[in-house]
Amino acid sequence: MDPSVDTWDLSSPLISLWINRFYIYLGFAVSISLWICLQIVSKTQDRSLQEKSVPRAPQDLMTNGYVSLQEKDIFVSGVKIFYGSQTGTAKGFATVLAEAVMSLDLPVAIINLKEYDPDDHLIEEVTSKNVCVFLVATYTDGRPTESAEWFCKWLEEASSDFRFGKSYLKSMRYAVFGLGNSAYASHFNKVGKNVDKWLWMLGAHRVMSRGEGDCDVVKSKHGSIEADFRAWKTKFISQLQALQKGERKKSCGGHCKKGKCESHQHGSEEREEGSHEQDELHHKDTEEEEPFESSSEEEFGGEDRQSLNSIVDVEDLGKIMDHVKKEKREKEQQEEKSGLFRNMGRNEDGERRAMITPALREALTKQGYQLIGSHSGVKLCRWTKSMLRGRGGCYKHTFYGIESHRCMETTPSLACANKCVFCWRHHTNPVGTEWRWKMDQPEMILKEAVENHQNMIKQFKGVPGVKAERFEEGMTVKHCALSLVGEPIMYPEINRFLKLLHQCKISSFLVTNAQFPAEIRNLKPVTQLYVSVDASTKESLKKIDRPLFKDFWQRFLDSLKALAAKQQRTVYRLTLVKAWNVDELQAYAQLVFLGNPDFIEVKGVTYCGESSASSLTMAHVPWHEEVVQFVRELVDLIPDYEIACEHEHSNCLLIAHKKFKIGGEWWTWIDYNRFQELIQEYEDSGGSKTFSAKDYMARTPHWALFGANERGFDPKDTRHQRKNKSKAISGC
């Protein structure tokens, strides 16, 4: 036999395997993959069975009759039920709901809003793991009941106050049930809707949709307000049980379109099988129970939308620009139809138009203004509220002896000639360089200003912490701060307005932005005249105040010269903006020599929140120590002045001329009764009998002086610190 043939026969199987090796490799790979998949499926099924099984405590864990269990997480520690009632219905509902909650073995507390101070206690609910329920009735003209009036007012102001912010009540859980009557369609359940909205604006989390009870049995969804409440209570208890177990039913996140809330489309509401009418009723429920934030674009204007959501997705930028352009076109068309002459500021009949347009009225009303006539406004200062409750007064109380709870903050002109970067109204007020609007009479402005101020004071009757004697005193206005917003000196009848104030024995504190030198020269005597000196050079003034006048710098200098000619008390008001105007000491000293003011107030800028009209941030707010250092360095450059007073809480110091330091004691306070006597003599003499600042000065108390331990806080009052005050990145 040929050996080569034998070799080929033996090696042919190996050659065949070698030729087909790729198929062999593929077979091995598929086999291994199938084995791995089977292992994964097997382990997944085992894990699923383990999760579904409920482990029991083994017998060997029994110790002294007790079972050793793992510590359970507590998802709901209790329920607090707040009610505001006029006739007792909401109070009765609170009792019924409390009984239902107790059946879940949860602690429950029923709280009358009249006896509750949200300023001190509401922040506690952020970390308490409680669920807060608000049962609030709507009273006459859409107002809250008397017992809930203070709570609603506080909540409204907090929701639009930049100091609280959009995360103030973050992690607080709540639900709202409103009581109303649909016969009053214009304000049906208005209070419940507002409370729901304001809590959401402060960052609180709604656990279920707002309920609305209707006293009108014809229009009530379930036949009566009691039935409406029972239906809502059933849903609430179901949601509460889910929360107890740690389950999180999907609730509205505030981005659904009206009538299309996803939380209603995935089983959050039970639907009964029945007729077509029931289907329509369910759709109506879904739409009407939709929370306010689900249609925030309808509820808030452009400014509010921006403040609520300052971060804009790039993909949405085109839509936003289209929306802005559309609004602008509609506005221009509306103005053309109404026949407004922009240059003349007159309508078809030749009459001047009102300064406050409907859109402006809406914006300013949201900010808490009480608008008067066509160009004036009044607002309650936070220091007025503070002093009513014995929590301290403003820096004017420390520096000049103003009684903050008797001070009315108003303006006869909402218009201004500047657009300051630190404008605390985010430039919602109108601007202009001259008066071109319809003018109201000063008698009407003063009368309505006092009435509106008194009405706002009345709302504090019965509020927790308000001192009875200060409440009574607060009903009589003693001081008027013409510094609310705008430029009061623009008002053509400002002198008549001041005369009326003095006739009513009301002292006058007028602030001007140093752009109207002629008006300053023609101004009759005031208790104290302020000029805002926001910068010391032409470049920085343009950057900070952003004036409308082209000759703003010359007007500024002329205003300071006009101030120097005044015989009564004059004040420079310096607002320090870190990195913008704190390094101009020598220039500030030159301006002091120019205007020779009696006093210089130096205050750190107050940050008023985000605004597209300003690039100011918290980083621009100086620390109080930085303000003190600036003042010390400035005083070294102006030898006729010394540091007199300090109000640490306002980040403010007072520099006074040495003529007010008599016998080693400061006399920066004002003898208001003496001023009224002097101004009366001035008026009676036709202006021939003049008087000076030293004629009505009073001695400054020790606690108000710079260097005192009180740091400018009146020891008669009690300092109040907000409980959730976080560490600031500035000196604010």
Side-chain angles (χ1 to χ4, degrees):
M1 182 182 291
D2 189 351
S4 62
V5 175
D6 292 339
T7 304
W8 172 257
D9 291 340
L10 290 173
S11 61
S12 60
L14 296 175
I15 293 172
S16 178
L17 287 174
W18 176 252
I19 294 172
N20 296 288
R21 64 187 182 278
F22 296 107
Y23 297 103
I24 296 172
Y25 295 159
L26 180 61
F28 276 116
V30 171
S31 300
I32 293 171
S33 299
L34 287 173
W35 181 81
I36 292 173
C37 291
L38 289 172
Q39 292 297 317
I40 292 173
V41 170
S42 176
K43 289 182 179 180
T44 303
Q45 290 177 344
D46 291 343
R47 191 182 300 112
S48 177
L49 290 172
Q50 289 175 2
E51 289 177 353
K52 289 181 180 179
S53 63
V54 180
R56 296 179 176 273
Q59 193 69 26
D60 59 345
L61 292 178
M62 297 289 292
T63 307
N64 297 327
Y66 294 95
V67 180
S68 176
L69 296 174
Q70 290 184 347
E71 186 178 344
K72 292 184 177 180
D73 289 331
I74 298 175
F75 298 102
V76 179
S77 60
V79 176
K80 288 187 177 180
I81 305 172
F82 301 85
Y83 70 88
S85 182
Q86 193 72 26
T87 61
T89 305
K91 183 178 180 181
F93 286 172
T95 304
V96 172
L97 183 61
E99 293 174 355
V101 172
M102 285 190 289
S103 67
L104 302 180
D105 294 327
L106 280 173
V108 62
I110 300 177
I111 301 170
N112 186 350
L113 286 172
K114 186 176 183 178
E115 301 167 355
Y116 184 75
D117 190 346
D119 202 20
D120 291 339
H121 302 297
L122 194 58
I123 188 62
E124 297 171 359
E125 306 307 330
V126 172
T127 56
S128 66
K129 291 190 177 181
N130 287 327
V131 174
C132 299
V133 181
F134 296 89
L135 309 178
V136 286
T138 300
Y139 199 42
T140 309
D141 297 328
R143 298 197 309 270
T145 60
E146 186 178 335
S147 60
E149 196 167 15
W150 164 243
F151 176 81
C152 291
K153 182 173 181 61
W154 182 93
L155 201 60
E156 179 183 13
E157 292 181 352
S159 66
S160 57
D161 192 331
F162 72 92
R163 289 184 296 269
F164 288 87
K166 292 174 282 189
S167 59
Y168 179 71
L169 296 179
K170 187 178 181 180
S171 300
M172 171 183 164
R173 296 176 293 181
Y174 76 97
V176 176
F177 182 83
L179 295 81
N181 192 325
S182 59
Y184 304 96
S186 60
H187 48 73
F188 173 56
N189 263 315
K190 183 177 180 180
V191 175
K193 293 173 182 176
N194 284 339
V195 169
D196 190 21
K197 177 180 70 172
W198 295 329
L199 288 169
W200 169 74
M201 290 173 68
L202 288 169
H205 174 73
R206 182 192 299 103
V207 298
M208 65 175 294
S209 297
R210 180 185 66 253
E212 294 185 352
D214 192 350
C215 290
D216 190 337
V217 294
V218 177
K219 297 182 180 179
S220 171
K221 296 176 186 176
H222 303 90
S224 68
I225 192 170
E226 290 80 10
D228 292 338
F229 175 71
R230 285 195 298 270
W232 180 84
K233 182 193 70 174
T234 301
K235 297 175 187 176
F236 174 74
I237 295 300
S238 173
Q239 179 72 354
L240 194 60
Q241 288 174 319
L243 291 172
Q244 268 188 293
K245 298 174 183 177
E247 299 175 7
R248 302 188 68 177
K249 289 188 177 182
K250 186 174 183 179
S251 60
C252 182
H255 304 290
C256 308
K257 293 183 179 180
K258 191 169 183 179
K260 298 181 180 179
C261 182
E262 294 179 5
S263 60
H264 297 288
Q265 295 178 2
H266 298 281
S268 61
E269 284 192 1
E270 296 179 5
R271 299 186 61 180
E272 298 179 3
E273 295 181 6
S275 65
H276 179 68
E277 292 180 358
Q278 289 176 324
D279 290 335
E280 290 181 350
L281 179 64
H282 172 73
H283 176 75
K284 184 179 179 181
D285 289 351
T286 304
E287 189 171 56
E288 292 186 0
E289 286 188 5
E290 188 62 18
F292 255 37
E293 72 271 18
S294 63
S295 56
S296 59
E297 292 185 0
E298 297 173 349
E299 294 301 327
F300 309 114
E303 288 289 327
D304 291 323
R305 285 199 301 271
Q306 184 174 359
S307 63
L308 290 171
N309 185 16
S310 59
I311 300 175
V312 179
D313 195 299
V314 175
E315 295 177 356
D316 297 329
L317 200 56
K319 296 179 181 178
I320 293 174
M321 293 305 298
D322 290 340
H323 181 71
V324 171
K325 291 178 181 178
K326 183 180 178 182
E327 285 185 341
K328 186 177 180 180
R329 285 196 301 269
E330 291 175 351
K331 182 179 179 182
E332 290 174 352
Q333 291 172 0
Q334 185 178 1
E335 289 181 352
E336 289 174 1
K337 289 179 181 178
S338 62
L340 294 177
F341 294 95
R342 295 178 183 271
N343 296 332
M344 298 298 294
R346 298 176 183 270
N347 57 24
E348 291 178 348
D349 299 327
E351 296 178 352
R352 290 178 180 266
R353 53 177 172 164
M355 181 186 294
I356 304 177
T357 63
L360 179 61
R361 183 176 295 275
E362 181 182 359
L364 292 175
T365 301
K366 279 185 179 181
Q367 296 177 24
Y369 281 90
Q370 298 294 318
L371 299 178
I372 303 165
S374 63
H375 55 74
S376 307
V378 63
K379 193 175 188 290
L380 207 61
C381 174
R382 75 181 185 96
W383 288 109
T384 301
K385 307 172 193 176
S386 177
M387 203 162 190
L388 282 171
R389 305 175 79 180
R391 293 181 173 182
C394 68
Y395 71 89
K396 291 187 183 73
H397 172 64
T398 300
F399 296 171
Y400 316 119
I402 270 187
E403 296 173 89
S404 301
H405 62 297
R406 302 183 68 182
C407 182
M408 175 178 70
E409 192 173 25
T410 187
T411 181
S413 170
L414 293 164
C416 188
N418 288 348
K419 294 182 179 181
C420 303
V421 294
F422 46 74
C423 177
W424 64 320
R425 291 301 163 209
H426 295 314
H427 314 97
T428 50
N429 55 305
V431 293
T433 57
E434 62 180 354
W435 190 270
R436 50 189 173 85
W437 301 277
K438 183 171 66 176
M439 189 184 71
D440 300 325
Q441 294 303 307
E443 291 82 3
M444 182 274 288
I445 297 173
L446 179 58
K447 179 177 178 293
E448 292 196 18
V450 172
E451 289 176 355
N452 278 290
H453 178 81
Q454 289 173 336
N455 289 335
M456 289 186 284
I457 294 291
K458 286 178 183 177
Q459 295 176 5
F460 282 81
K461 188 174 183 179
V463 170
V466 171
K467 296 188 174 183
E469 66 277 8
R470 290 192 178 177
F471 176 80
E472 293 299 325
E473 292 173 349
M475 293 300 295
T476 303
V477 178
K478 187 177 180 180
H479 315 287
C480 180
L482 293 164
S483 60
L484 178 60
V485 72
E487 182 66 84
I489 208 168
M490 280 182 71
Y491 177 49
E493 295 292 344
I494 185 64
N495 280 323
R496 278 179 59 199
F497 185 80
L498 291 169
K499 184 177 180 179
L500 291 170
L501 281 174
H502 299 152
Q503 287 176 351
C504 296
K505 306 301 179 185
I506 300 174
S507 62
S508 51
F509 291 76
L510 189 148
V511 180
T512 176
N513 288 320
Q515 289 296 295
F516 296 91
E519 285 75 4
I520 293 176
R521 284 191 289 268
N522 297 329
L523 193 69
K524 295 292 182 67
V526 296
T527 310
Q528 190 156 283
L529 178 60
Y530 288 79
V531 167
S532 294
V533 182
D534 301 324
S536 59
T537 66
K538 184 177 180 179
E539 292 72 23
S540 58
L541 187 69
K542 184 177 182 180
K543 181 180 179 182
I544 294 175
D545 280 4
R546 297 187 294 184
L548 271 64
F549 285 107
K550 293 182 179 179
D551 59 340
F552 66 91
W553 183 245
Q554 189 58 50
R555 284 176 168 271
F556 179 75
L557 297 177
D558 290 344
S559 295
L560 300 186
K561 293 175 184 177
L563 193 77
K566 294 294 178 182
Q567 293 180 285
Q568 292 74 41
R569 295 168 66 107
T570 57
V571 183
Y572 274 11
R573 188 169 68 172
L574 274 63
T575 301
L576 297 187
V577 185
K578 191 189 293 186
W580 284 9
N581 65 355
V582 296
D583 301 322
E584 304 170 353
L585 282 164
Q586 192 62 50
Y588 274 118
Q590 294 298 323
L591 293 180
V592 171
F593 296 139
L594 183 65
N596 194 31
D598 295 320
F599 305 98
I600 305 169
E601 293 176 4
V602 184
K603 187 179 187 298
V605 66
T606 299
Y607 177 63
C608 300
E610 286 185 16
S611 170
S612 60
S614 172
S615 58
L616 195 72
T617 68
M618 282 296 292
H620 292 106
V621 182
W623 292 94
H624 185 65
E625 291 75 11
E626 292 175 313
V627 177
V628 172
Q629 181 61 31
F630 176 90
V631 169
R632 290 184 187 276
E633 294 177 3
L634 178 60
V635 167
D636 290 340
L637 300 175
I638 45 177
D640 292 335
Y641 294 83
E642 289 183 10
I643 306 175
C645 302
E646 175 186 28
H647 192 253
E648 183 189 31
H649 193 82
S650 295
N651 201 9
C652 186
L653 282 88
L654 179 69
I655 302 172
H657 197 284
K658 290 181 180 178
K659 67 182 179 182
F660 292 96
K661 193 172 188 180
I662 302 172
E665 293 184 325
W666 281 110
W667 289 65
T668 66
W669 275 34
I670 298 172
D671 186 337
Y672 295 99
N673 293 330
R674 180 56 182 156
F675 171 79
Q676 296 298 343
E677 294 173 359
L678 293 168
I679 196 66
Q680 187 62 50
E681 293 174 1
Y682 172 86
E683 294 292 346
D684 292 343
S685 67
S688 61
K689 191 172 183 179
T690 60
F691 58 98
S692 68
K694 294 184 69 175
D695 292 332
Y696 56 101
M697 63 183 182
R699 191 171 63 84
T700 311
H702 178 269
W703 59 264
L705 299 177
F706 177 68
N709 293 331
E710 292 85 355
R711 306 298 293 272
F713 189 87
D714 193 338
K716 294 179 183 177
D717 292 330
T718 303
R719 184 76 176 266
H720 175 72
Q721 298 282 1
R722 192 171 291 152
K723 292 185 178 181
N724 75 321
K725 191 172 183 180
S726 58
K727 186 176 180 180
I729 62 171
S730 70
C732 186

